[in-house]
């Protein structure tokens, strides 16, 4: 079975074809970052309009590059939520119409399920059950995964997600949007011993996260230290704050991962979502799982951030069991992942 996947939940247009025999046979992502950069964040209406512009030519190119014709596609999967309503509507309407025209089923996919299953596109895949740490711009979640569709939420962010905290702190430091990769690069030049930021919610039991205080801590540190720094010390100050911030986020995530793995007795930890591209985090989680006698799994960097491949794969998993939508389509801008486990 070959499934076309379409991702348009935010600021990336992603298209891909997953083949149940040959695996991922083609994928392309168009990032709208340059479009939104001057506004310091995603402008929803611009995002929707750009998805409209990109989708049809990207799919045509994908089919040409993979040597496939429409008759060789057996289903179309699209991101139905969570995400920006207008952006989701573009992908959903396009996918539903295409599937109708091609006479194949269409299925709406939960964006975070896509991220969660993305490591399955690699050669070394985790066996079930496993623990997944999902760290994206909008979500930070620890999930126990019993099987495809069997998700138990172990903990999640009560305020800012890890990626959001990276982006907001990067903004404070005058770095562009999205700030995660830029902040991480700056942190490489930072002194790890100059500042120590808190590790939020690690002093009490539980697996929930709270990262908004870290951003405030970064702001206070920045204001206090800027006031007493000379002009040529500012660059190093920013790098030191970036380092302290990244270390605090990575340490906090690792502490909670350890707890989740110990609590569930799992030997595999999956990490996915944009922040899982962070090298410091990956190295830390690798060490943690080696200590615990297990292994960490994550997608290649390009499949950590938003892409169509993860949607095509999740779509195949749903279509193969006979799930698909009717002729109408709906989107769910807010869609708790817990609802998936309950079949909603
Ligand atoms: O999964 P994703 O592409 O989109 C959402 O579903 O939100 O995640 C985007 C987030 C952004 O907040 C971005 O700053 C963050 O992932 N990110 C990173 C890195 N690469 C992307 N954060 C820290 N370090 C990175 N290397
Ligand atoms: Zn995402």
């Amino acid at each position: 079975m070959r499934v076309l996947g379409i991702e348009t939940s935010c600021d990336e247009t992603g298209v891909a074809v997953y083949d149940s025999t040959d695996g991922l046979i083609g994928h392309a992502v168009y990032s709208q970052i340059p479009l939104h950069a001057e506004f310091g964040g995603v402008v929803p209406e611009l995002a929707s309009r750009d998805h409209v512009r990109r989708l049809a030519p990207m799919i045509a190119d994908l089919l040409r590059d993979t040597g496939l014709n429409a008759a060789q596609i057996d289903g179309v999967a699209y991101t139905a939520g969570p995400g920006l309503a207008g952006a989701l509507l573009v992908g959903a309407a396009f996918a539903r119409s295409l599937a109708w025209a091609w006479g194949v089923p269409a299925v709406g996919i939960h964006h975070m399920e896509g991220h969660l299953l993305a490591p399955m596109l690699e050669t070394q895949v985790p066996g079930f059950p496993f623990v997944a740490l999902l760290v994206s711009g909008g979500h930070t979640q620890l999930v126990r995964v019993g099987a495809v569709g069997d998700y138990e939420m172990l903990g999640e962010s009560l305020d800012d997600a890890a990626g959001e905290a990276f982006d907001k702190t990067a903004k404070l430091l005058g770095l562009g949007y999205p700030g995660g990769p830029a902040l991480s690069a700056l942190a490489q030049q930072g002194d790890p011993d100059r500042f120590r930021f808190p590790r939020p919610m690690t002093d009490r039991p539980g697996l929930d996260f709270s990262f908004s205080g870290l951003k405030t801590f970064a702001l206070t540190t920045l204001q206090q230290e800027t006031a007493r720094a000379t002009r040529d010390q500012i660059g190093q100050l920013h790098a030191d704050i970036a380092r302290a911030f990244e270390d605090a986020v990575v340490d906090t995530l690792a502490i909670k991962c350890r707890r989740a793995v110990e609590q569930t007795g799992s030997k595999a930890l999956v990490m996915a979502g944009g922040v899982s591209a962070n090298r410091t985090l990956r190295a830390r989680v690798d060490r943690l799982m080696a200590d615990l006698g297990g292994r960490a799994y994550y997608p290649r960097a390009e499949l950590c951030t938003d892409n169509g491949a993860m949607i095509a794969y999740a779509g195949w998993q749903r279509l193969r069991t006979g799930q698909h939508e009717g002729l109408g389509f709906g989107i769910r801008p807010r869609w708790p992942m817990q609802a998936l486990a309950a079949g909603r």
Side-chain angles (χ1 to χ4, degrees), residues 1 3 74-78 104-110 113 148-151 314-326 335 339-340 342-344:
M1 183 190 267
V3 180
D74 306 298
V76 182
Y78 59 91
V104 296
V107 65
I109 297 298
H110 191 292
E113 180 178 45
V148 174
D150 172 9
Y151 309 127
W316 168 65
Q317 286 286 0
R318 300 253 160 204
L319 289 166
R320 71 198 282 235
T321 63
Q323 285 183 56
H324 59 85
E325 315 298 328
W335 185 1
L340 280 183
R344 279 176 280 121

Side-chain angles (χ1 to χ4, degrees), residues 273-284:
V275 183
S276 67
N278 184 285
R279 295 231 198 100
T280 314
L281 179 61
R282 286 184 174 214
R284 182 63 195 279

Side-chain angles (χ1 to χ4, degrees), residues 7 9-12 82 111-112 115 135-139 161-167 177-185 246 272-279 281 304-307 310:
E7 155 64 36
S9 67
C10 190
D11 58 349
E12 261 106 21
H111 181 80
M112 297 311 291
H115 275 305
V135 269
S136 71
H139 297 85
E164 196 176 355
F166 262 97
D167 292 340
Y177 160 84
L183 186 143
S184 184
E246 182 176 66
V275 183
S276 67
N278 184 285
R279 295 231 198 100
L281 179 61
C304 283
T305 44
D306 292 349
N307 64 84
M310 66 187 196

Side-chain angles (χ1 to χ4, degrees), residues 3-342:
V3 180
L4 170 69
I6 296 179
E7 155 64 36
T8 63
S9 67
C10 190
D11 58 349
E12 261 106 21
T13 315
V15 297
V17 177
Y18 178 79
D19 181 313
S20 53
T21 311
D22 298 331
L24 181 62
I25 52 179
H27 94 105
V29 175
Y30 178 84
S31 168
Q32 299 178 355
I33 287 173
L35 180 69
H36 302 290
E38 65 173 298
F39 304 102
V42 179
V43 183
E45 183 58 22
L46 292 183
S48 311
R49 291 181 195 194
D50 206 53
H51 289 308
V52 171
R53 268 192 294 270
R54 307 282 163 200
L55 265 182
M58 283 179 73
I59 292 170
D61 287 352
L62 178 71
L63 292 181
R64 193 200 54 223
D65 295 349
T66 52
L68 293 170
N69 59 51
Q72 292 169 294
I73 301 290
D74 306 298
V76 182
Y78 59 91
T79 305
L84 301 172
L88 290 168
L89 272 174
V90 174
F94 197 95
R96 187 68 206 93
S97 313
L98 205 54
W100 180 78
W102 289 351
V104 296
V107 65
I109 297 298
H110 191 292
H111 181 80
M112 297 311 291
E113 180 178 45
H115 275 305
L116 189 155
L117 296 176
M120 298 299 190
L121 290 164
E122 304 305 338
T123 32
Q124 298 273 329
V125 300
F128 296 110
F130 57 77
V131 169
L133 172 69
L134 304 178
V135 269
S136 71
H139 297 85
T140 306
Q141 300 175 322
L142 272 165
V143 186
R144 183 187 178 277
V145 181
V148 174
D150 172 9
Y151 309 127
E152 182 194 349
M153 193 62 64
L154 302 172
E156 58 190 324
S157 45
L158 304 177
D159 42 51
D160 292 355
E164 196 176 355
F166 262 97
D167 292 340
K168 288 179 174 173
T169 304
K171 211 169 191 174
L172 295 178
L173 297 174
L175 303 169
Y177 160 84
L183 186 143
S184 184
L186 183 61
Q188 296 296 307
Q189 287 135 46
D191 173 358
D193 299 318
R194 179 157 173 205
F195 303 116
R196 186 179 162 83
F197 283 21
R199 274 57 175 158
M201 297 184 72
T202 53
D203 57 351
R204 66 196 91 160
L207 294 168
D208 287 334
F209 303 93
S210 166
F211 290 113
S212 72
L214 272 184
K215 168 200 66 196
T216 315
F217 203 89
L219 176 63
T220 314
T221 309
L222 180 67
Q223 286 170 338
Q224 282 169 357
E225 298 292 325
T226 303
R228 48 172 178 251
T230 61
R231 239 181 141 161
D232 55 351
Q233 289 172 330
I234 296 290
Q236 190 58 47
L237 170 64
H238 286 194
D240 295 343
I241 290 176
R243 179 60 184 258
F245 173 84
E246 182 176 66
D247 284 352
V249 173
V250 167
D251 210 27
T252 304
L253 291 171
I255 291 168
K256 299 283 165 126
C257 282
R258 174 185 278 274
R259 274 187 205 169
V261 168
E262 285 175 346
Q263 183 178 311
T264 56
S266 173
K267 286 286 166 219
L269 179 88
V270 156
M271 195 162 65
V275 183
S276 67
N278 184 285
R279 295 231 198 100
T280 314
L281 179 61
R282 286 184 174 214
R284 182 63 195 279
V285 166
D286 279 341
R287 257 188 290 126
L288 169 71
M289 289 311 291
D291 279 358
L292 295 174
R295 220 200 113 162
Y297 298 83
Y298 18 71
R300 70 198 90 153
E302 71 197 76
L303 300 185
C304 283
T305 44
D306 292 349
N307 64 84
M310 66 187 196
I311 303 303
Y313 179 81
W316 168 65
Q317 286 286 0
R318 300 253 160 204
L319 289 166
R320 71 198 282 235
T321 63
Q323 285 183 56
H324 59 85
E325 315 298 328
L327 276 184
F329 64 88
I331 52 149
R332 297 185 67 175
R334 291 175 183 278
W335 185 1
M337 208 172 164
Q338 291 88 324
L340 280 183

